[in-house]
């Protein structure tokens, strides 16, 4: 038998190790993207309250159970498009209206985050060195 060197791969850590000087800093909590169901629920609840209607009234008009509508409003249930359309319709909204309001809420909630630096195209090249803003897709 012959002695072979062990197969070793170069490993690049995903997270850098602690700094050489001083104790490691606690990880900063990255802001989380809100869940779509929470945003939809907030929009439904705010619209229902703006109309001064009860959960029972809207649930009856939408032909869904009051406990289920409550769960949807609190973002605990991922409602189907049929349920969302029924709840929106009971509030006098179309599904498109509900989704547009939810999108607007998402933009408001996430707009406080630091924006990605704008790319500028000059003579067919992009300043940050990539035509895709540093993103690379692999098939």
């Amino acid at each position: 038998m012959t002695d072979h060197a062990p197969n070793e791969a170069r490993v690049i850590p995903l997270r850098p190790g602690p700094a050489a000087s001083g104790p490691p800093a606690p990880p900063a909590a990255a802001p989380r993207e809100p869940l779509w169901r929470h945003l939809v629920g907030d929009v439904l609840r705010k619209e229902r309250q703006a109309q001064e209607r009860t959960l029972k009234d809207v649930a009856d008009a939408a032909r869904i159970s009051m406990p289920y509508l409550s769960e949807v409003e609190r973002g605990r249930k991922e409602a189907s498009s049929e349920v969302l359309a029924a709840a929106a319709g009971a509030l006098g909204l179309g599904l498109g209206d509900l989704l547009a309001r939810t999108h607007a809420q998402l933009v408001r909630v996430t707009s406080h985050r630091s924006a990605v630096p704008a790319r500028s195209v000059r003579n067919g090249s992009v300043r940050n060195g990539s035509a895709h803003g540093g993103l690379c897709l692999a098939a």
Side-chain angles (χ1 to χ4, degrees):
M1 287 175 126
T2 61
D3 260 339
H4 292 287
N7 290 335
E8 292 184 23
R10 181 173 175 227
V11 177
I12 301 171
L14 295 175
R15 294 185 183 132
S21 62
R32 289 186 163 185
E33 288 283 329
L35 295 177
W36 186 255
R37 69 175 185 252
H38 292 151
L39 297 169
V40 170
D42 287 344
V43 169
L44 287 172
R45 183 184 320 102
K46 287 176 184 172
E47 182 61 30
R48 179 180 58 79
Q49 291 173 340
Q51 294 180 15
E52 298 179 351
R53 294 175 65 186
T54 65
L55 267 171
K56 181 169 178 23
D57 176 40
V58 174
D60 288 346
R63 302 180 76 133
I64 57 179
S65 75
M66 188 177 70
Y68 189 74
L69 179 59
S70 174
E71 294 278 301
V72 170
E73 282 191 359
R74 290 182 290 145
R76 302 218 177 188
K77 294 291 182 189
E78 192 81 49
S80 68
S81 58
E82 291 88 356
V83 168
L84 293 177
L91 292 167
L93 302 173
L95 184 57
D97 298 324
L98 174 62
L99 298 180
R101 289 181 184 193
T102 304
H103 174 261
Q105 179 70 12
L106 176 63
V107 170
R108 277 193 297 277
V109 168
T110 59
S111 67
H112 70 277
R113 297 180 187 195
S114 61
V116 175
R119 296 179 300 158
S120 68
V121 178
R122 186 178 301 161
N123 297 330
S125 65
V126 178
R127 192 184 320 166
N128 66 5
S130 168
H132 301 288
L135 297 177
C136 177
L137 299 176

